[in-house]
Amino acid sequence: MYELKDVLKQCVERIQRYRQQRTRIPEQSTRMSLIDPVIDALGWDIHDLEEVHPEYRRRGVDNPVDYALLILRTPRLFIEAKALGENLDDPRWANQIIGYAASAGVEWVALTNGAEWRVYNAHAPVPVEQKLFRIVSLESDLDAASELLSLLSKENMGQNRIEELWKGYFIDRQVLADLLDLFGDGEPAPELVGLLDDRLPRLTRNEIRSSLIRARASFDYPAPTVPVRSISAANPAVSLTAEGSVTMRTDLSKPPAGGVIPPRRSKRAVSQAERSIKLADIIRVGRLSPGAGLYARYKGVSYTAELLADGTVRFDGRPFPTPSAAGRALKIDANGPGTPETVLATDGLDFWSSKDAIRGDIASLKEIRRRAADREDG
């Protein structure tokens, strides 16, 4: 058996060579040249059906799973393979493999096209998108890929090491999401203001609220050592430390690289007054400036666009009538033609951020529109 990292390097070389050939690599070839070697390097005997069972069916009437990895003849991990170049963002693939696992009582599943691996906890009591534990790309970050895939080794699956990491991540993710909600994007939660009002009787609620708006909060779980792609708007960047603990980090004091603030959930309903406001209206009242930069982060890459005086958006030298149209074009550029509509659909006001010309901070266009509707003066 070769060392995992050496095998991953060989896979990256093959992927780059295949891409240069500009020919489609079918699923079976992807499995043979990019997936089987990784499974073998993880200590699983790919020639033993009692350890690696291809086209596994729990019952004869079930649809087959591409790989079932077994310990003591019991499936511990399912792997669903797709052809190199297949878009793993298509929700059908995750739903398919997670459905198989749920019916078979298998907790851990992986979805891969050879170049990218996604690991899910099929038993997590949350929606499918929140069952996702990690995404790694061999070409983008070999160290992160090696860290994640090593958790799927026969030895680590036998010791259920991944379960220990998942528990910490799952709890920390929920706590951090609620912390972000409490502090809000420029508007602190009423319950946080109320708590401090009880503890600070000499201050008024408005004084406390204004102070929290000025505050720049930072939450550190602690500093990461190996970065992994962020997984969703509600889930901050996650990494593995050398000790194997899950870490999450976010800093609300400044936008990360590319000028993008961390996306945040909001429990505040969008009013009819907000919906009636167009970008041109926000420019007219001075909340946004003509020519202002728009910022977005998608699949780990930062993008910029330009807000024009009439409220249209220029992205990659092309004009678009709305931020949503510009976001859709960005996703097509990033994913290629044939991207499913479920992936392309974009709420442009949430997707893009910009500088609030009055308050001076970076916020989502939706938040800036809210401030304009409420006539906040900063």
Side-chain angles (χ1 to χ4, degrees), residues 175-193 196 208-219 250-254 261-268 359 361-364 366-368 370-371 376:
V175 171
L176 181 56
D178 268 22
L179 284 172
L180 297 179
D181 270 350
L182 282 173
F183 281 85
D185 183 8
E187 183 59 47
E191 55 264 46
L192 178 60
V193 176
L196 291 176
I208 293 170
R209 174 181 169 276
S210 296
S211 178
L212 287 171
I213 289 173
R214 292 191 297 271
R216 294 294 178 260
S218 177
F219 304 103
T250 185
D251 186 348
L252 308 188
S253 65
K254 58 183 183 296
I261 60 169
R264 305 237 286 285
R265 299 179 302 167
S266 174
K267 297 176 182 177
R268 185 184 187 280
R359 185 176 289 183
D361 63 339
I362 302 292
S364 70
K366 183 169 286 186
E367 168 60 15
I368 294 174
R370 182 194 69 77
R371 296 173 185 176
E376 293 184 8

Side-chain angles (χ1 to χ4, degrees), residues 342-365:
T342 53
V343 175
L344 295 179
T346 304
D347 181 345
L349 296 183
D350 264 336
F351 188 76
W352 296 99
S353 299
S354 190
K355 182 178 180 179
D356 184 327
I358 294 177
R359 185 176 289 183
D361 63 339
I362 302 292
S364 70
L365 294 179

Side-chain angles (χ1 to χ4, degrees), residues 205-376:
R205 291 180 71 94
N206 280 339
E207 288 172 333
I208 293 170
R209 174 181 169 276
S210 296
S211 178
L212 287 171
I213 289 173
R214 292 191 297 271
R216 294 294 178 260
S218 177
F219 304 103
D220 194 343
Y221 276 76
T225 58
V226 180
V228 180
R229 266 176 48 186
S230 62
I231 55 187
S232 80
N235 303 339
V238 181
S239 69
L240 248 93
T241 64
E243 295 78 20
S245 62
V246 173
T247 66
M248 292 185 289
R249 190 176 192 177
T250 185
D251 186 348
L252 308 188
S253 65
K254 58 183 183 296
V260 187
I261 60 169
R264 305 237 286 285
R265 299 179 302 167
S266 174
K267 297 176 182 177
R268 185 184 187 280
V270 178
S271 68
Q272 190 59 42
E274 290 174 63
R275 296 184 189 279
S276 67
I277 294 176
K278 308 301 181 186
L279 284 184
D281 300 325
I282 303 175
I283 294 172
R284 192 159 40 249
V285 299
R287 200 100 222 180
L288 288 170
S289 302
L294 301 182
Y295 312 108
R297 192 166 180 85
Y298 183 64
K299 301 182 79 169
V301 178
S302 296
Y303 296 87
T304 60
E306 180 184 7
L307 178 63
L308 303 181
D310 61 354
T312 60
V313 175
R314 180 186 291 131
F315 169 69
D316 196 26
R318 297 167 288 169
F320 295 94
T322 65
S324 296
R328 179 188 176 90
L330 183 157
K331 290 182 178 180
I332 292 174
D333 289 351
N335 297 307
T339 304
E341 186 60 37
T342 53
V343 175
L344 295 179
T346 304
D347 181 345
L349 296 183
D350 264 336
F351 188 76
W352 296 99
S353 299
S354 190
K355 182 178 180 179
D356 184 327
I358 294 177
R359 185 176 289 183
D361 63 339
I362 302 292
S364 70
L365 294 179
K366 183 169 286 186
E367 168 60 15
I368 294 174
R369 183 184 67 174
R370 182 194 69 77
R371 296 173 185 176
D374 291 347
R375 299 183 181 179
E376 293 184 8

Side-chain angles (χ1 to χ4, degrees), residues 44-244:
W44 302 92
D45 186 349
I46 60 174
H47 303 294
D48 186 347
L49 289 178
E50 293 186 350
E51 200 163 298
V52 179
H53 196 312
E55 304 302 323
Y56 175 84
R57 287 182 171 89
R58 186 171 66 94
R59 301 171 304 173
V61 296
D62 291 341
N63 291 321
V65 177
D66 290 327
Y67 301 89
L69 276 53
L70 304 91
I71 296 177
L72 299 178
R73 301 182 180 179
T74 301
R76 297 296 301 276
L77 172 70
F78 281 171
I79 299 177
E80 182 69 15
K82 298 299 173 187
L84 178 65
E86 187 75 58
N87 182 9
L88 300 186
D89 286 332
D90 189 328
R92 290 179 299 168
W93 311 140
N95 287 330
Q96 175 180 294
I97 186 63
I98 289 172
Y100 292 165
S103 64
V106 175
E107 184 171 11
W108 292 100
V109 301
L111 174 64
T112 181
N113 59 11
E116 182 179 285
W117 288 73
R118 302 184 178 200
V119 177
Y120 298 82
N121 184 325
H123 289 182
V126 291
V128 169
E129 62 274 10
Q130 295 181 34
K131 295 177 186 288
L132 179 61
F133 180 45
R134 299 279 168 80
I135 301 177
V136 290
S137 165
L138 272 60
E139 296 169 283
S140 299
D141 195 332
L142 200 63
D143 288 332
S146 180
E147 292 254 15
L148 174 63
L149 292 175
S150 67
L151 293 174
L152 307 183
S153 71
K154 181 181 177 182
E155 179 180 359
N156 281 333
M157 291 301 294
Q159 296 175 359
N160 211 18
R161 183 68 174 134
I162 193 171
E163 175 64 21
E164 299 172 23
L165 296 178
W166 166 263
K167 285 179 180 177
Y169 163 66
F170 188 64
I171 293 169
D172 291 350
R173 183 180 67 183
Q174 295 177 76
V175 171
L176 181 56
D178 268 22
L179 284 172
L180 297 179
D181 270 350
L182 282 173
F183 281 85
D185 183 8
E187 183 59 47
E191 55 264 46
L192 178 60
V193 176
L195 173 65
L196 291 176
D197 186 36
D198 291 339
R199 297 172 65 93
L200 300 168
R202 294 184 179 182
L203 300 180
T204 67
R205 291 180 71 94
N206 280 339
E207 288 172 333
I208 293 170
R209 174 181 169 276
S210 296
S211 178
L212 287 171
I213 289 173
R214 292 191 297 271
R216 294 294 178 260
S218 177
F219 304 103
D220 194 343
Y221 276 76
T225 58
V226 180
V228 180
R229 266 176 48 186
S230 62
I231 55 187
S232 80
N235 303 339
V238 181
S239 69
L240 248 93
T241 64
E243 295 78 20

